[in-house]
Amino acid sequence: MSETFNSQSLIGAIQRASQALIDNSEFLTSLDQAMGDGDLGITMGKVGEALLVYTKNAQPTDLGKFLMSAGMEANKAAPSTMGTLLATALMRAGKEIAGKTEFSSADAAAMLHAAFTGIQERGKANLGDKTVLDAIHPADEALSAGIASGLSLREAGLKALQAAKNGRDSVTSLQNKVGRASWLGERTKGLPDPGCNAFVVVFEAIVGK
C-alpha cells in the first residue's frame, strides 16, 4: 500500500509522543527508582516539554533537518544517558528523510531502523541486556515486515506496537546488564525495564491504541 505523509503528520507524531512522556513522567520515575536511579521520568518529561515548544507553530520544509534539529533540542533539554540516546535516535531517523517534504511508509520503517541502530551503537548494549533495545528491535522488525507485506502504516504500526510490548515483557524476568541498574545484579530480575517501558509509551502515542 503506497502512502505518503506530510510535515503535519510528523509534527503530530512528535507532539503526541512528547505529551505522553510528560503524562507518564511519574510512572517512568517509579520504575527507575526500583532500579536504584530515579530520574528517567524527569528526564523524559523535560524532553517532552522541549519538543512541544520546538514543534509549536513549526512549518518545516526539510523534514530530515527538522528531525535532526529536534534531536539537538532533546539533547540540550536532557543531556543524560537516555536523553542522549533519544537525541541520537531522532538525528539518525532524520538522516533517512533528509531533503524530503513528505515521507512514505517505507521511509517510516527506515527511520525506526535507523533509530534502533543509532541507539545500539551509542549505548553499546546487546539484545538481551534488558535495555530499551529489547523493545525497539522487535518493533523495528515487525514494522519493516508489515510494510513490506503491503500493510498500511497504521496496520503495521499496531503490529510493531504489540511486538514492542512483547519484547518489553520478555526481558522482565532477566537481569539488567547495562547502566546503573546493573549494579543491583540479580535484584533486577522480575522488575520491568524503564527504558523498554519508555519506548512503549512513546510508540503507543505515535501509533495510537
Side-chain angles (χ1 to χ4, degrees):
M1 180 180 292
S2 178
E3 298 175 287
T4 56
F5 305 89
N6 60 21
S7 61
Q8 291 308 305
S9 299
L10 183 61
I11 290 171
I14 294 173
Q15 291 177 337
R16 292 193 302 276
S18 298
Q19 190 62 53
L21 286 174
I22 295 169
D23 294 344
N24 285 276
S25 177
E26 289 186 9
F27 167 62
L28 295 175
T29 292
S30 68
L31 295 182
D32 207 28
Q33 286 174 337
M35 294 287 193
D37 204 343
D39 64 347
L40 179 64
I42 297 170
T43 296
M44 292 294 94
K46 287 179 179 179
V47 170
E49 290 169 359
L51 292 181
L52 284 181
V53 171
Y54 172 70
T55 56
K56 186 178 181 180
N57 301 321
Q59 294 181 317
T61 53
D62 184 328
L63 299 186
K65 285 185 178 179
F66 178 70
L67 260 188
M68 286 186 274
S69 294
M72 289 186 276
E73 291 297 320
N75 198 47
K76 282 194 293 184
S80 63
T81 300
M82 188 58 77
T84 299
L85 292 178
L86 178 57
T88 299
L90 287 168
M91 288 188 278
R92 290 290 186 91
K95 287 183 179 180
E96 294 297 317
I97 53 171
K100 294 188 176 184
T101 57
E102 294 182 327
F103 64 98
S104 66
S105 299
D107 287 328
M111 284 190 280
L112 182 58
H113 183 67
F116 162 71
T117 302
I119 290 175
Q120 186 176 41
E121 291 175 354
R122 191 65 183 262
K124 295 179 172 58
N126 297 308
L127 295 175
D129 284 347
K130 196 175 176 181
T131 71
V132 63
L133 293 177
D134 293 302
I136 297 179
H137 182 252
D140 171 28
E141 290 193 325
L143 188 66
S144 292
I147 297 301
S149 69
L151 296 180
S152 69
L153 184 56
R154 173 160 173 76
E155 291 169 333
L158 288 171
K159 288 183 178 295
L161 174 59
Q162 187 58 55
K165 291 179 178 179
N166 293 344
R168 172 199 64 188
D169 296 343
S170 72
V171 296
T172 298
S173 63
L174 302 182
Q175 179 176 324
N176 285 74
K177 297 179 181 178
V178 175
R180 189 171 295 183
S182 66
W183 300 355
L184 295 181
E186 292 194 355
R187 284 180 287 170
T188 59
K189 290 182 177 180
L191 296 177
D193 180 68
C196 284
N197 277 275
F199 175 73
V200 169
V201 162
V202 166
F203 202 64
E204 188 167 61
I206 292 173
V207 174
K209 298 180 180 179

